[in-house]
Amino acid sequence: MIKVLFFAHLKDVIGSESVTLEMGGENIISLKKRISDQYRIDSLHTVMVAVNEEFADDSTILSDGDIVAFIPPVSGG
Amino acid sequence: MIKVLFFAHLKDVIGSESVTLEMGGENIISLKKRISDQYRIDSLHTVMVAVNEEFADDSTILSDGDIVAFIPPVSGG
Amino acid sequence: MNYEITRNAIDVQEVIDKVISRNAGAVTTFIGTVRELTYGKKTLYLFYEAYEAMAVKKLEQIGREIQERWPDSLTAITHRVGKLDITDVAVVIAVSTPHRDDAYQANRYAIERIKEIVPIWKKEMWEDGEEWIGNQKETVAYPKGKPEEKDLHD
Amino acid sequence: MNYEITRNAIDVQEVIDKVISRNAGAVTTFIGTVRELTYGKKTLYLFYEAYEAMAVKKLEQIGREIQERWPDSLTAITHRVGKLDITDVAVVIAVSTPHRDDAYQANRYAIERIKEIVPIWKKEMWEDGEEWIGNQKETVAYPKGKPEEKDLHD
């Protein structure tokens, strides 16, 4: 199981701040595809991804227990 | 009469924070010369002069009632 | 705790106190406040959201980067989240260094990095609507899924 | 009273409050503190002296210069005089602007101008002596008796 966190407009679009998915051995590209298909979101190319609170490359392989966060372009400060 | 104010090391060297002089129609160069002769100070070329709280050129003619300040290189901040 | 996310009003002096040092001759602060008008559009208030655990880690990372570039510096950053009214303080960055040039440069570095890598988002509330800032304009895209080298090190 | 010379401890927040505005998105402060070591020499404490009436006028002049260059800015400056111990605050400059770039630039401008034209002097007290800073080194000379154009406008 992996947990996926959503923030800002993604949280609004998806209607939830997190979902839990059965996944393993797949990479972030696969996860993005699953999320965009399921929630009909096509702007995930502008979204950074963090795995366990560190930015991760799209090719990163996800493991059971990972916490993945979708990070839209930030606007703090 | 003009009043001359001294600050920082000049005040220490001269031993006073101000002197009053009988002067009129003369310029700042003359005043500097009088002060350096009287107090044996030869570093007045590094000193700015203010007349009535505004920086003034060496050629400025002094008038009765002026307040002249000798301003050593500043070191605030 | 030099790097914090808080839901409460930020005490600027408290952030400054964290970087005061006998070796410091200069302290710069950057205080980000909520501005009413942005390019003529009137903001009623803002809402900030953070991925808090990661945001603190990224603020700490910025602190380490500053330490590497300006070894004699001390840095503290507090960012507020939640609802903020006009003139409220959203972020305070304090940097101390022995000499002033470094204090300005390191401080500027910190705010630019916050806007690049710290997971905090701002929603602007207007009379006629609201918008999460940073996404719909899509002025920044991350085709590789994470910040590129240039985004990370400029 | 945005430009002050004081004999008392400076309240940083009080200076910041003078420039907070609904149009401001960025406030920068510069806080000059008394540093213990300067190029390896240990300072015990400092003594600042000012030609107070003129110093306030010159701070006001710097404020006008900033207003001309950065029309949407607000500036406040307080400089302390008298005896200051290590880590005491000697000067606080606060500048607010709508956007951050200007706030950093205008603030930097203010401190450089203070070091050029404001009649304030610092005496450093060490274990083995004391010295008025700025004069005996004679790194700056004013052969014409007043600051030259380049000193005034750089």
Side-chain angles (χ1 to χ4, degrees):
Chain A
M1 301 281 278
I2 65 161
K3 189 171 182 184
V4 185
L5 309 179
F6 303 108
F7 296 95
H9 81 289
L10 274 181
K11 184 167 71 176
D12 294 350
V13 167
I14 287 170
S16 169
E17 61 182 38
S18 71
V19 297
T20 302
L21 297 176
E22 201 62 59
M23 258 190 111
E26 295 162 71
N27 66 14
I28 289 173
I29 294 176
S30 306
L31 172 62
K32 278 190 172 177
K33 191 166 182 328
R34 253 174 87 169
I35 299 288
S36 23
D37 290 351
Q38 189 168 346
Y39 298 96
R40 293 180 197 171
I41 302 165
D42 57 4
S43 68
L44 289 183
H45 65 287
T46 67
V47 168
M48 296 186 276
V49 174
V51 177
N52 304 324
E53 301 173 2
E54 285 300 337
F55 287 113
D57 216 276
D58 265 2
S59 60
T60 304
I61 304 292
L62 298 171
S63 310
D64 193 50
D66 278 346
I67 296 176
V68 179
F70 280 18
I71 315 266
V74 302
S75 50
Chain B
M1 302 282 278
I2 63 160
K3 189 172 182 183
V4 185
L5 310 179
F6 303 108
F7 297 95
H9 82 289
L10 274 180
K11 184 167 72 177
D12 294 350
V13 167
I14 286 170
S16 169
E17 61 181 40
S18 71
V19 297
T20 302
L21 297 177
E22 200 63 58
M23 258 190 112
E26 294 162 72
N27 65 15
I28 289 172
I29 295 175
S30 305
L31 172 62
K32 278 190 171 175
K33 192 165 180 327
R34 256 175 84 167
I35 299 288
S36 22
D37 289 352
Q38 189 169 347
Y39 297 97
R40 293 177 197 172
I41 301 164
D42 57 4
S43 68
L44 288 183
H45 64 288
T46 67
V47 169
M48 295 186 276
V49 175
V51 177
N52 304 325
E53 300 172 2
E54 284 300 337
F55 287 113
D57 216 275
D58 266 2
S59 61
T60 305
I61 305 293
L62 298 171
S63 310
D64 193 50
D66 278 348
I67 296 175
V68 179
F70 279 17
I71 314 265
V74 302
S75 50
Chain C
M1 296 263 294
N2 275 30
Y3 304 94
E4 288 187 54
I5 303 292
T6 178
R7 306 198 77 80
N8 305 316
I10 303 174
D11 180 334
V12 178
Q13 186 63 52
E14 213 171 85
V15 183
I16 292 170
D17 287 344
K18 295 176 183 174
V19 304
I20 294 288
S21 139
R22 298 178 72 83
N23 296 323
V27 180
T28 51
T29 72
F30 175 84
I31 302 165
T33 55
V34 179
R35 186 180 53 229
E36 184 162 36
L37 293 175
T38 295
Y39 303 116
K41 189 153 191 175
K42 192 170 176 177
T43 299
L44 298 181
Y45 62 93
L46 294 185
F47 185 83
Y48 279 94
E49 174 176 301
Y51 180 12
E52 293 198 22
M54 183 171 168
V56 170
K57 280 191 180 175
K58 291 290 124 185
L59 292 177
E60 288 168 349
Q61 177 186 326
I62 293 170
R64 285 193 305 274
E65 291 173 3
I66 290 174
Q67 196 69 48
E68 274 170 33
R69 289 169 182 236
W70 294 277
D72 293 328
S73 64
L74 294 172
T75 302
I77 306 173
T78 301
H79 202 301
R80 186 174 172 188
V81 293
K83 177 177 183 287
L84 273 78
D85 292 315
I86 307 300
T87 79
D88 277 355
V89 172
V91 62
V92 176
I93 302 166
V95 179
S96 73
T97 60
H99 301 280
R100 68 185 181 284
D101 196 42
D102 290 343
Y104 282 104
Q105 283 189 39
N107 197 296
R108 183 64 192 263
Y109 180 84
I111 183 67
E112 301 304 331
R113 291 295 278 147
I114 287 172
K115 290 173 179 289
E116 286 167 359
I117 65 160
V118 180
I120 299 176
W121 300 271
K122 174 167 74 173
K123 193 187 215 173
E124 289 194 357
M125 311 293 196
W126 310 300
E127 276 173 357
D128 60 350
E130 58 182 51
E131 185 183 28
W132 284 104
I133 303 303
N135 68 78
Q136 292 172 357
K137 292 176 182 170
E138 295 193 2
T139 51
V140 184
Y142 300 97
K144 291 188 184 166
K146 68 174 187 177
E148 310 230 14
E149 281 302 295
K150 76 167 182 60
D151 296 321
L152 285 170
H153 298 294
D154 266 3
Chain D
M1 295 265 294
N2 275 30
Y3 305 94
E4 288 187 54
I5 303 293
T6 178
R7 305 198 78 78
N8 305 317
I10 303 174
D11 181 334
V12 177
Q13 186 63 52
E14 214 171 82
V15 183
I16 292 170
D17 287 343
K18 294 175 183 175
V19 304
I20 293 288
S21 139
R22 298 178 72 84
N23 296 322
V27 180
T28 52
T29 72
F30 175 84
I31 302 165
T33 55
V34 179
R35 187 180 53 229
E36 184 162 38
L37 293 176
T38 296
Y39 303 116
K41 190 153 190 173
K42 192 171 176 176
T43 299
L44 298 180
Y45 62 93
L46 294 186
F47 184 83
Y48 279 95
E49 175 177 302
Y51 180 12
E52 293 199 21
M54 183 172 167
V56 170
K57 279 190 182 176
K58 292 290 123 183
L59 292 177
E60 288 168 348
Q61 176 187 326
I62 293 169
R64 285 193 303 274
E65 291 173 4
I66 290 174
Q67 195 68 49
E68 274 170 33
R69 289 169 184 235
W70 295 275
D72 293 328
S73 64
L74 293 173
T75 303
I77 306 174
T78 301
H79 202 301
R80 186 174 173 189
V81 293
K83 178 178 183 288
L84 273 79
D85 292 315
I86 307 301
T87 78
D88 277 356
V89 173
V91 62
V92 176
I93 302 165
V95 178
S96 73
T97 61
H99 301 280
R100 68 187 181 281
D101 196 41
D102 290 342
Y104 282 103
Q105 284 190 37
N107 197 298
R108 182 66 192 263
Y109 179 84
I111 183 65
E112 301 305 331
R113 290 296 276 150
I114 287 172
K115 290 173 178 290
E116 285 167 0
I117 64 159
V118 180
I120 299 176
W121 300 270
K122 173 168 75 172
K123 193 188 216 171
E124 288 193 357
M125 311 294 195
W126 311 299
E127 276 173 358
D128 61 350
E130 56 181 53
E131 186 183 27
W132 283 104
I133 301 305
N135 69 79
Q136 293 170 356
K137 292 178 183 168
E138 297 194 359
T139 51
V140 184
Y142 301 98
K144 290 189 184 166
K146 67 173 188 179
E148 310 229 13
E149 281 302 296
K150 75 167 185 56
D151 295 320
L152 285 170
H153 298 295
D154 263 3

